[in-house]
Amino acid sequence: MNTPKSDVCFDFLSTRKRTEHLCLPLELEDFIPQPIPDVSPPKWHLGHTTWFFEQFVLLNFESNYTPFDPNFLFFFNSYYQNAGERVARNLRGTLSRPTVKEVLNYRQYVTSAVEKLLINQQSEDILELVTLGIHHEMQHQELLMYDIKYIFGMQPAQPIYGNSFELTQELQAGWKDVEGGIYEIGAQNEGFSYDNEKGHHQVLLNDYSISQALVSNREYLDFINSGGYTDFNLWHDEGWATLQNQGWKAPLYWQQRAGNWGYFTLSGFKEIDLHLPVQHVSYFEASAFAAWKNCRLPTEAEWEVASPLFSWGQLWEWTGSAYLPYPGFFKALGALGEYNGKFMVNQHVLRGASVATPPGHARKTYRNFFAPQSRWQFSGIRLVK
Amino acid sequence: MNTPKSDVCFDFLSTRKRTEHLCLPLELEDFIPQPIPDVSPPKWHLGHTTWFFEQFVLLNFESNYTPFDPNFLFFFNSYYQNAGERVARNLRGTLSRPTVKEVLNYRQYVTSAVEKLLINQQSEDILELVTLGIHHEMQHQELLMYDIKYIFGMQPAQPIYGNSFELTQELQAGWKDVEGGIYEIGAQNEGFSYDNEKGHHQVLLNDYSISQALVSNREYLDFINSGGYTDFNLWHDEGWATLQNQGWKAPLYWQQRAGNWGYFTLSGFKEIDLHLPVQHVSYFEASAFAAWKNCRLPTEAEWEVASPLFSWGQLWEWTGSAYLPYPGFFKALGALGEYNGKFMVNQHVLRGASVATPPGHARKTYRNFFAPQSRWQFSGIRLVK
Amino acid sequence: MNTPKSDVCFDFLSTRKRTEHLCLPLELEDFIPQPIPDVSPPKWHLGHTTWFFEQFVLLNFESNYTPFDPNFLFFFNSYYQNAGERVARNLRGTLSRPTVKEVLNYRQYVTSAVEKLLINQQSEDILELVTLGIHHEMQHQELLMYDIKYIFGMQPAQPIYGNSFELTQELQAGWKDVEGGIYEIGAQNEGFSYDNEKGHHQVLLNDYSISQALVSNREYLDFINSGGYTDFNLWHDEGWATLQNQGWKAPLYWQQRAGNWGYFTLSGFKEIDLHLPVQHVSYFEASAFAAWKNCRLPTEAEWEVASPLFSWGQLWEWTGSAYLPYPGFFKALGALGEYNGKFMVNQHVLRGASVATPPGHARKTYRNFFAPQSRWQFSGIRLVK
Amino acid sequence: MNTPKSDVCFDFLSTRKRTEHLCLPLELEDFIPQPIPDVSPPKWHLGHTTWFFEQFVLLNFESNYTPFDPNFLFFFNSYYQNAGERVARNLRGTLSRPTVKEVLNYRQYVTSAVEKLLINQQSEDILELVTLGIHHEMQHQELLMYDIKYIFGMQPAQPIYGNSFELTQELQAGWKDVEGGIYEIGAQNEGFSYDNEKGHHQVLLNDYSISQALVSNREYLDFINSGGYTDFNLWHDEGWATLQNQGWKAPLYWQQRAGNWGYFTLSGFKEIDLHLPVQHVSYFEASAFAAWKNCRLPTEAEWEVASPLFSWGQLWEWTGSAYLPYPGFFKALGALGEYNGKFMVNQHVLRGASVATPPGHARKTYRNFFAPQSRWQFSGIRLVK
């Protein structure tokens, strides 16, 4: 990887700025709650993405670096066990301190220190780590939007964030055929990629046809109306148990008012727009829908090979592939090795990107992953037959 | 009850003001978290005490009253099932909206409306309800301080609130004897009292001696050091199970650092002051301590009868009495009947008052109550033998 | 206490025999399950009542005693922490071994050894401990019947035990008045009594009227039909939460089949007999019923004072009294002190006796106790006004 | 499939007999407990394998068939939602009735009826269903042994079952190389196979080396002794959480007594035999061990392709493959379609067989599966590098 140093610095500064920009519509109170363990307080995202640069870049490479506040190294560690103690994940919402203002000061302090480091030093190690930190922060920008949506959606008054992340109708329709054979997938050494997508390798595919459009709300409403949420034959055993425990009757954010389905969106509560792709479905729901259509979800290899044949990027697309290491994958040593590998069990891969994916963060080799019951992320369904 | 109307109005306004005054040391972020279900966000106390006046006074007696925001009637109901739907208690910490500013506006709106009502109307019904609302708000002022302490104590940085609620050494010592016989307890019709303390009635007491001082930290530390938390013979079966599940080794807020016990206080983390009364003990701990001393806790009748013999008011004092109705107690009809009666099971009575009890809110007939495992309230121990 | 030695021996042998006799209708498989933690396997009762004599009598007083099997001292300890390690209460149903046959052999071995001891030794200590063991076993005979009923009631086929424990219609009706004043309650030194009922003492009562009959199924069905289980105003807050979590709509064992209420009994599933007393209600239900009737439950002192005025003994009767120590109560040292005192929190007292109470075990001073949500015991309701 | 009819009948009768034979060492009490939800009572296995024939064969194909007892259709259904209501899985241990004797009579009744059907009818449909039922019962024979071992291991006295299922030392050592390329895996139409292993298909493999021996207790003890259970870097995030919640320090059934590791086996408690393969490890433990060795687990395709190169069959071998459908897999309609497909999420594939696998039930295409935390099955570890 040989991104010019100046570009790294520019990317760094604009990424830092973008995170703060995403928070502009928030009231100060919105930075605090953690309504479910999966949803982190926005303040925590602001701090954690900063901590990453302080912990892995500044403390390693800036010889005279004084941490902004030693306690912050504890507050804002997420799950890096190698980087020391941390606040238990499900207690993030109990932290009123440091205040938002202090966290913004922390951001500025670390941003300046990294900028100074980048100006003064040229080592490839630093550039690589800062680049990783940029992509880490981009990933959190997307999570931040999921979490803001969830927090707003929990408020009885369902406040409005804005219309920056609206979906549009998928314009292509029909199926594209792909001939079976040996193909290559995985990241090559051009541009940034995570450890989990590296290892360009061959895969053997059978013939398949892939839909050009994501499943629409109209199609999904047909599924609901024809009893999709009451016929256990369509569901995984664990999916059916989840549906029953959680009382699922529709995707997340859908509510029936006076007999009609509507949904909470970042721009307020709305009638279902039947032309838009269905959003906020779990793997269990995506699989049940596919079974109802006598189709299936693509494997991640099928998706990657076919991806030039359709337009993608509105919603992350569930694949039928469990999240497992690529051939030759080994975890890096130390804290950075915790980034991906340790989650490779009981998760499913999603491919593509979403309207909340930061510009420049999407690529066809990207392996996103969530637990099969998760549905607060911006996820949709593409079928294969 | 015939408090002059002007006094009610003055009490009302100063009580409203005092609640807001208690929040002055808070950062805006501190108003939001609910670290455990028992601890409500300060913002919720601000809103709920206001809701009480809006729901029970304004909506009933102010003919042209327009609610500040109809949603607030839903947000800030606590447990009054008769007053309609409400936010589930354990989700209070998920509410970032309404903002603190909006809640303060709500307070002002309702305070002005009640003030206007009190100036224009003279009905006894209104005065009684407003008086109840004042005492309700005083009760929440005390809970607010418990909850602020808990929230501050949860912060890794343990911020400082101030030194307004510090304990002092108990100056009297020794035992006072009370001769057995028939005594009278319970509230008479002088001044305000809750339904649960009404019903002045006779009780039959045996001879007993009651300690003039609350148990000190020094005595309690002896209990800890002599194995009080490891000898199940001293504990209730359910107390022992709680101790083991929660890992109790000392009162709430005590922490061992470098081998020495200290505790978090509203004015910061400190060494244990051995002269002060022990605080933040559960009924289980109070009982175990008493058993270790071959003493017992007073019954609430013993406490009330003996209360003129000692100085009280630093800490609520656990009694050995379960919280049960007084002879002749009947629940009022409707929502206000939910105030006390429905909690009369699996709770123990505490008597006295604490440094956090608002001025004018303490009286010797007051029956406070908490579950036997609760210890975030300002509670202490007085012995009887 | 100076029961003649020969009577103790006779009582001992006949009590031991009666326990075994109660198990005659069981299939061997019925001795094993523990469907809920409260319900112990019948095999466990057989072993535990035997363990009590082995642990507290034989190991202390029979110099050359060889335990039947040292492991049984571990298997069949219940909650006596002073008597060493024991199988966790909720795992009793996992124990298939020792087999029922081995436990019956254990019974015979210990019964013979105690009999021999009683013939050879005359010490008062032994007689007292054996007498306590007899009453302990009688208490377990009653629990055994509760547990057998629960286990049988869990079987989809609801097997028949027999008709030995059927209720009869209460023949007296109307109310008896008791004049207020000072009365004496508690056990005097005539015959056996537990530590918790000792301490004959004065109580002060107000005037009251007590019903001569227990509440009937007809009255309780009226309560159900008039919405008793849907009106939270009648319930304790914790009772209402229990009702909702457990889905209570009627007493335990009641089932609606084809629109009609019936109940499982030890002699099979039957239509509700409207003339019989209502059975298997919790304290929460008893209190809600009383509130619906504008009555209340008696205190335990009221019950004991009035008990000569009515016929009792079909069902244990919930009182409004929390289970607390009598004046002067102190726990005995060591394991036997664990018998009662450590349960004196979050329990309510029941008075009287039931059809499952062994002959000779009932007395008007007896203080039975259960948690307010328990209803698998044979409990009923008597009202006071 | 055209197995001669007479062979099916013989296989049927000998499989039925073998199940009963496996229970000979049990006491009647051992048939009842369900110590954890995963472990079914032996009585339930006896009944459920019989129910399968009654429900799917006799009720469909024997025109005048009278069920043994209509209730048994409810008792012994496991998870077939299409076959109607069933006893909740975690309540199986509450069923003392039907008795073991009644279940054995049920077995005999159904066995005779199926035998008669097989003699009188020749339809391919019946033969296929009976063959499926035989394999279903074989699978339960193996589960029965896991469950018996768990139940015996729970008894404080740890009874002895016998030495029929002992492991032996793996005799081969070293690694076998497999050259990358296209291979074929999956069941062809020779002999019986489940729906999940059908669909003979090509896979593309890279070069790999596979160990000829399973990992031994000696190697695993090295892992334990060098801190394998305390270094989170070796574990999946979810594995580490499980280890901490469950307090794992070694495989299931291992106990440290007086500082030395031993384990409970079906022939009693023993010292660890260092020469034998390690057993009763979860996927999490197998993966952590492999990581510690700088190796990995084979994929299921690698395992199947290499299986002729080593001896297998002592223990099921964890693979790195998530349990997912083979290309072209579709669930059958109705109840039999529930056999496999609905479990294809959050499970990992195990390949091979174990000493508890019935004769004739092992084949190299067999896809066994368990949740990654399960370890009561007879599972071991084979490495790949």
Side-chain angles (χ1 to χ4, degrees), chain C residues 25-240:
Chain C
L26 304 194
E27 296 285 349
L28 206 140
E29 289 85 344
D30 299 325
F31 286 88
I32 306 304
Q34 180 179 34
I36 54 171
D38 272 348
V39 169
S40 292
K43 188 181 79 174
W44 187 86
H45 287 290
L46 293 179
H48 170 68
T49 50
T50 305
W51 167 87
F52 191 96
F53 289 107
E54 186 173 59
Q55 175 81 44
F56 295 125
V57 178
L58 295 174
L59 287 174
N60 287 333
F61 294 98
E62 186 62 277
S63 46
N64 292 317
Y65 181 70
T66 310
F68 178 77
D69 180 334
N71 287 322
F72 284 31
L73 292 168
F74 167 72
F75 296 161
F76 292 123
N77 184 355
S78 56
Y79 53 80
Y80 295 85
Q81 304 229 23
N82 286 295
E85 293 292 311
R86 61 213 180 289
V87 172
R89 175 169 188 165
N90 61 348
L91 294 182
R92 288 176 188 164
T94 66
L95 294 190
S96 56
R97 309 292 183 95
T99 63
V100 173
K101 195 175 163 198
E102 287 167 324
V103 174
L104 291 173
N105 289 341
Y106 175 47
R107 285 187 69 85
Q108 195 165 3
Y109 180 90
V110 167
T111 300
S112 300
V114 173
E115 185 184 13
K116 196 172 133 228
L117 180 73
L118 287 173
I119 287 165
N120 294 334
Q121 294 202 32
Q122 321 254 349
S123 103
E124 195 59 27
D125 279 2
I126 294 177
L127 291 186
E128 273 192 33
L129 268 173
V130 171
T131 301
L132 180 59
I134 291 169
H135 285 271
H136 173 258
E137 183 147 351
M138 284 173 162
Q139 220 175 338
H140 276 278
Q141 287 172 358
E142 180 149 5
L143 288 170
L144 177 63
M145 289 318 304
Y146 303 165
D147 293 354
I148 289 172
K149 185 168 183 180
Y150 197 92
I151 291 166
F152 275 39
M154 283 292 288
Q155 308 308 315
Q158 301 203 326
I160 288 171
Y161 175 86
N163 57 8
S164 345
F165 298 105
E166 298 200 344
L167 302 184
T168 54
Q169 183 171 357
E170 300 263 297
L171 294 175
Q172 297 164 301
W175 301 80
K176 287 284 186 183
D177 297 331
V178 180
E179 208 175 333
I182 291 185
Y183 291 90
E184 305 216 326
I185 66 165
Q188 286 172 303
N189 288 330
E190 301 155 1
F192 176 83
S193 57
Y194 286 121
D195 58 353
N196 66 359
E197 61 192 289
K198 285 192 207 299
H200 194 68
H201 64 284
Q202 293 188 319
V203 292
L204 180 64
L205 301 183
N206 297 315
D207 296 349
Y208 62 103
S209 302
I210 193 160
S211 170
Q212 286 193 276
L214 295 174
V215 170
S216 69
N217 284 324
R218 179 188 303 279
E219 292 169 288
Y220 202 84
L221 198 56
D222 283 349
F223 170 68
I224 295 174
N225 290 335
S226 64
Y229 283 79
T230 57
D231 179 5
F232 52 77
N233 285 307
L234 300 169
W235 297 76
H236 289 100
D237 194 57
E238 200 172 322
W240 184 250

Side-chain angles (χ1 to χ4, degrees), chain B residues 273-289:
Chain B
D273 183 332
L274 297 175
H275 302 295
L276 299 185
V278 67
Q279 194 178 4
H280 292 299
V281 288
S282 63
Y283 175 71
F284 294 135
E285 286 161 303
S287 300
F289 178 85

Side-chain angles (χ1 to χ4, degrees), chain B residues 171-348:
Chain B
L171 294 175
Q172 297 164 302
W175 301 81
K176 286 284 187 184
D177 297 331
V178 180
E179 207 175 333
I182 290 184
Y183 291 91
E184 304 216 327
I185 66 166
Q188 286 172 301
N189 289 330
E190 300 155 0
F192 176 83
S193 57
Y194 286 121
D195 58 352
N196 66 359
E197 62 191 288
K198 286 193 205 298
H200 194 67
H201 64 284
Q202 294 188 319
V203 291
L204 179 65
L205 300 183
N206 298 314
D207 295 351
Y208 62 101
S209 302
I210 193 160
S211 170
Q212 287 193 277
L214 294 175
V215 169
S216 70
N217 284 325
R218 180 189 301 281
E219 292 168 287
Y220 203 84
L221 197 55
D222 284 349
F223 169 67
I224 295 174
N225 290 335
S226 64
Y229 282 79
T230 57
D231 179 5
F232 53 77
N233 284 307
L234 300 168
W235 296 77
H236 289 99
D237 194 58
E238 200 172 322
W240 184 250
T242 305
L243 173 156
Q244 292 194 301
N245 291 339
Q246 304 289 321
W248 285 355
K249 292 179 177 161
L252 182 62
Y253 298 125
W254 287 42
Q255 293 170 36
Q256 225 165 359
R257 298 188 179 174
N260 295 317
W261 284 108
Y263 44 29
F264 170 72
T265 76
L266 284 169
S267 46
F269 189 84
K270 293 185 173 173
E271 261 185 85
I272 303 291
D273 183 332
L274 297 175
H275 302 295
L276 299 185
V278 67
Q279 194 178 4
H280 292 299
V281 288
S282 63
Y283 175 71
F284 294 135
E285 286 161 303
S287 300
F289 178 85
W292 177 72
K293 280 283 197 191
N294 285 315
C295 292
R296 60 177 178 84
L297 303 176
T299 64
E300 59 173 324
E302 288 171 340
W303 189 94
E304 187 169 329
V305 166
S307 61
L309 305 177
F310 49 81
S311 157
W312 54 268
Q314 292 215 76
L315 292 173
W316 288 97
E317 307 177 16
W318 284 109
T319 73
S321 298
Y323 180 47
L324 292 171
Y326 272 0
F329 174 80
F330 270 98
K331 290 207 293 188
L333 291 181
L336 291 174
E338 296 186 48
Y339 204 98
N340 271 310
K342 72 180 179 182
F343 298 113
M344 290 180 174
V345 70
N346 290 357
Q347 310 268 350
H348 265 258

Side-chain angles (χ1 to χ4, degrees), chain A residues 204 206, chain D residues 183-187 197-203 301 326-327:
Chain A
L204 179 65
N206 298 314
Chain D
Y183 291 90
E184 304 216 326
I185 67 165
E197 60 191 291
K198 285 192 207 299
H200 194 68
H201 65 286
Q202 293 188 319
V203 291
Y326 272 0

Side-chain angles (χ1 to χ4, degrees), chain B residues 72-124:
Chain B
F72 284 32
L73 292 168
F74 167 72
F75 297 162
F76 291 124
N77 185 355
S78 56
Y79 54 79
Y80 296 83
Q81 304 229 23
N82 285 296
E85 293 291 311
R86 61 214 181 286
V87 172
R89 177 170 187 164
N90 60 349
L91 295 183
R92 289 177 188 163
T94 66
L95 295 188
S96 56
R97 309 292 182 96
T99 63
V100 173
K101 194 174 164 200
E102 287 167 324
V103 174
L104 292 173
N105 290 342
Y106 175 46
R107 286 187 68 84
Q108 196 165 2
Y109 180 90
V110 167
T111 300
S112 300
V114 172
E115 185 184 14
K116 195 172 131 230
L117 179 72
L118 287 173
I119 288 165
N120 294 335
Q121 295 202 31
Q122 321 252 351
S123 101
E124 195 59 26

